[in-house]
Amino acid sequence: MRAKAKHPRAIASALSQSNKSSLEYLNLNCNNSSEISDEWGYNIITALSGHQYLMKLALEASGIGENGRAALAHLFQNPACKIKDLNLAHNNITDEGLSRLAVVLTRNNKLKNLCLAENDRITAEGWRALSAFLRSPNSALKNLYLYSNTINDRGMTELANALARNTTLQVLDLGYNDGGHISATGWSALSAFLQSPVSSLRSLDLSFNNLDDDGLNVLSNGIVSHGSLKTLNLRDNVISSAGWRHFFNLLRNSSSALEKLELGWNNIDDEGVAALVDSSIAFTLKQLDLSSNQFIAAQGWRSISNLLRRPDCMLKELNLSENDNINDEVVESLASALVGNRRLIMLKLHENDAITTRGWTALSNTLCDKSSIDVTYSSNHTLQKLDHGLGDIDHLPNDLVSLLDMNKNNTEAETARQKILEYHLLRDGVNVEAFVDMEVKVLPLAMAWIGRDRTGFQVLFRLLQNAPSIFDSNKNA
């Protein structure tokens, strides 16, 4: 159920009278409408008290004041409350309001997801109150979203110290906390949490945090030793090229098993990329974002190409968008590396204005080299998505989009078959020469491989018409 703020009494009345065994999800995102008030929030939340099957409650930008928060605390005090997902983003929550809620949550073992984003009135005292819930043995919280707040060193230390004892949290989003001015002191506390032997954290977002070299240096100790962390977002921070090189060198022989690393909008240079490619995580990563790193030049992009050539490269998604130094030569190097790559599914290259038809053609040839049946068979049948960002596709080869679709909609073996049929056996008539010189033992296998569907039947029929001698059993005996 999604409700709007125009008729709060009607909504509360409807909730009071509705079937209280059917409501599982309620979204009251009001976008700070001028018609909402603390009374509105109080009436709505009070009306929910009998809905014992409610699992998900979204109250983003709902203007909940002290009365509303008191009603919310009362709702969670009910032992029958089954709410697992609570969104209180953008509600001007104060330290007092968070403290009241946290006291109730310490006795709750149902809540799995909690969002307190965009509540910049919360200070270190409020985060300290929340920490009591995080360290509670009753806590079953898995996902905590605290983005767009003003967490400072004290707040970070309170949260990190509590999380060091927490065994359930898997996702922690601290992005867009650039107003909190966290220094190396706060990052050191977070690093200690990451080194906790009981931590089960799998995803950490530290984007847009004004994280500098000193902060990354102390944080690195936790990152390199955390074996369960799979996703790390460090987009748009203030780390220097030297800071990145130092970080990647620390990862060279780490126990980290990161699978998704977001590094867009940073100051990584060629040496940094080389150090990243040489680190142990280069061969555990499945998603890598290097968008808008303007210090990376041709040498750095060649390092990425070399990574893609390696048989132990696990990358499935690579984002190289918005990089001024990516031109046709770079794309040709990437295309050459992708010929033998059997894992990369998505390549993002949007807003790289230096790429022309020449670069896009190189990618098209990687998907289907038409020079012979053998090389077509050995072309790339894995890449499925190419984010080129071109509103019109005038710069793209005519068959690039269709080849990507062909890769997407079939198995690799079937894709190879369709490309051979399309570009060698059907285009401009049947290519009889492809069959004439085949060994007798190979010929039946080739025909069986081709004749799997109506398109293949068409090839065999035309072949019989144009080269009946191939089917002469006496000749081939």
Side-chain angles (χ1 to χ4, degrees):
M1 176 180 179
R2 181 183 291 271
K4 297 183 179 180
K6 293 183 178 180
H7 306 290
R9 291 182 181 177
I11 295 172
S13 176
L15 289 171
S16 298
Q17 298 174 18
S18 64
N19 185 346
K20 296 184 178 182
S21 65
S22 60
L23 185 64
E24 295 184 0
Y25 171 41
L26 182 62
N27 186 345
L28 293 171
N29 184 344
C30 301
N31 295 318
N32 279 337
S33 167
S34 59
E35 300 181 32
I36 64 176
S37 65
D38 186 25
E39 180 184 1
W40 181 90
Y42 174 82
N43 289 334
I44 296 294
I45 296 171
T46 301
L48 293 173
S49 59
H51 288 268
Q52 297 182 8
Y53 292 91
L54 184 65
M55 299 287 187
K56 185 174 182 179
L57 180 58
L59 298 171
E60 182 176 355
S62 296
I64 299 173
E66 294 305 318
N67 290 328
R69 285 188 283 274
L72 190 63
H74 180 73
L75 180 65
F76 273 90
Q77 279 181 319
N78 186 345
C81 177
K82 293 182 174 64
I83 296 176
K84 295 182 178 181
D85 192 323
L86 178 61
N87 185 350
L88 296 175
H90 203 17
N91 268 294
N92 290 318
I93 296 175
T94 62
D95 290 344
E96 182 180 354
L98 182 56
S99 297
R100 182 177 295 184
L101 179 62
V103 169
V104 176
L105 291 180
T106 56
R107 297 188 290 273
N108 181 283
N109 62 0
K110 302 288 196 310
L111 193 66
K112 305 292 185 183
N113 308 308
L114 176 61
C115 181
L116 292 168
E118 300 178 89
N119 283 291
D120 57 8
R121 295 177 64 188
I122 301 174
T123 71
E125 293 304 316
W127 301 125
R128 181 180 181 183
L130 180 66
S131 296
F133 162 56
L134 296 176
R135 66 166 59 93
S136 168
N138 293 320
S139 174
L141 197 68
K142 289 187 175 181
N143 304 311
L144 179 59
Y145 304 97
L146 303 179
Y147 58 86
S148 295
N149 279 299
T150 53
I151 301 173
N152 58 18
D153 283 345
R154 280 190 59 207
M156 180 65 80
T157 301
E158 293 287 355
L159 291 168
N161 288 345
L163 289 172
R165 307 178 190 178
N166 185 288
T167 62
T168 63
L169 194 72
Q170 296 182 5
V171 175
L172 178 59
D173 189 341
L174 294 167
Y176 290 84
N177 267 289
D178 51 342
H181 305 295
I182 301 172
S183 71
T185 300
W187 298 125
S188 179
L190 186 64
S191 179
F193 151 55
L194 293 175
Q195 295 175 69
S196 168
V198 300
S199 172
S200 58
L201 195 71
R202 296 180 61 86
S203 177
L204 177 62
D205 190 335
L206 300 177
S207 59
F208 297 90
N209 261 282
N210 285 325
L211 178 65
D212 59 14
D213 289 8
D214 292 338
L216 183 61
N217 189 37
V218 297
L219 192 59
S220 298
N221 296 326
I223 294 173
V224 300
S225 62
H226 200 293
S228 67
L229 191 66
K230 301 300 181 184
T231 298
L232 178 63
N233 189 344
L234 295 173
R235 283 175 63 91
D236 206 343
N237 280 292
V238 293
I239 302 157
S240 71
S241 298
W244 284 115
R245 290 195 296 271
H246 179 68
F247 175 61
F248 295 141
N249 283 325
L250 289 176
L251 290 170
R252 189 182 300 271
N253 297 307
S254 74
S255 59
S256 173
L258 284 171
E259 295 182 357
K260 182 178 181 179
L261 184 57
E262 298 188 57
L263 302 173
W265 295 83
N266 278 300
N267 300 311
I268 301 169
D269 61 10
D270 289 351
E271 292 182 48
V273 175
L276 171 62
V277 168
D278 196 38
S279 70
S280 60
I281 67 164
F283 308 106
T284 63
L285 286 177
K286 295 180 180 179
Q287 294 175 262
L288 176 61
D289 177 7
L290 288 171
S291 58
S292 197
N293 275 276
Q294 305 302 342
F295 292 164
I296 303 177
Q299 182 179 346
W301 299 127
R302 280 196 294 273
S303 296
I304 295 298
S305 295
N306 291 335
L307 174 62
L308 292 172
R309 285 189 176 92
R310 294 194 53 161
D312 49 357
C313 174
M314 304 298 291
L315 279 176
K316 292 185 176 181
E317 181 176 322
L318 179 60
N319 187 352
L320 305 181
S321 302
E322 300 180 78
N323 279 293
D324 296 340
N325 290 323
I326 291 186
N327 54 23
D328 289 338
E329 291 183 4
V330 171
V331 175
E332 287 175 336
S333 175
L334 292 169
S336 175
L338 287 173
V339 171
N341 185 287
R342 294 295 179 263
R343 291 195 175 92
L344 194 73
I345 294 174
M346 173 179 281
L347 177 61
K348 296 183 178 182
L349 291 170
H350 69 265
E351 296 188 44
N352 290 320
D353 297 335
I355 304 174
T356 70
T357 303
R358 172 186 157 192
W360 302 122
T361 299
L363 284 170
S364 179
N365 291 336
T366 292
L367 298 178
C368 186
D369 187 332
K370 308 175 186 69
S371 58
S372 73
I373 290 179
D374 287 344
V375 293
T376 297
Y377 184 82
S378 300
S379 296
N380 182 293
H381 310 307
T382 307
L383 188 67
Q384 300 175 5
K385 299 177 183 178
L386 179 62
D387 186 354
H388 49 75
L390 298 175
D392 59 64
I393 56 175
D394 292 341
H395 292 297
L396 297 181
N398 293 331
D399 58 356
L400 179 55
V401 175
S402 63
L403 287 169
L404 289 167
D405 288 340
M406 205 177 290
N407 281 6
K408 182 178 180 180
N409 295 324
N410 301 286
T411 63
E412 288 190 37
E414 179 60 20
T415 298
R417 175 180 170 274
Q418 289 191 8
K419 290 176 182 177
I420 290 172
L421 286 172
E422 173 71 19
Y423 294 101
H424 294 281
L425 303 182
L426 283 176
R427 186 159 295 190
D428 300 323
V430 176
N431 181 5
V432 177
E433 297 300 323
F435 298 91
V436 169
D437 296 327
M438 281 188 182
E439 296 182 14
V440 174
K441 293 180 179 180
V442 175
L443 188 60
L445 298 175
M447 290 184 175
W449 184 70
I450 291 168
R452 292 180 181 176
D453 55 18
R454 290 183 177 273
T455 304
F457 294 163
Q458 183 181 3
V459 172
L460 294 179
F461 178 73
R462 291 184 182 179
L463 183 62
L464 179 60
Q465 283 183 317
N466 297 327
S469 61
I470 291 179
F471 298 89
D472 187 343
S473 59
N474 293 324
K475 179 181 177 180
N476 294 326

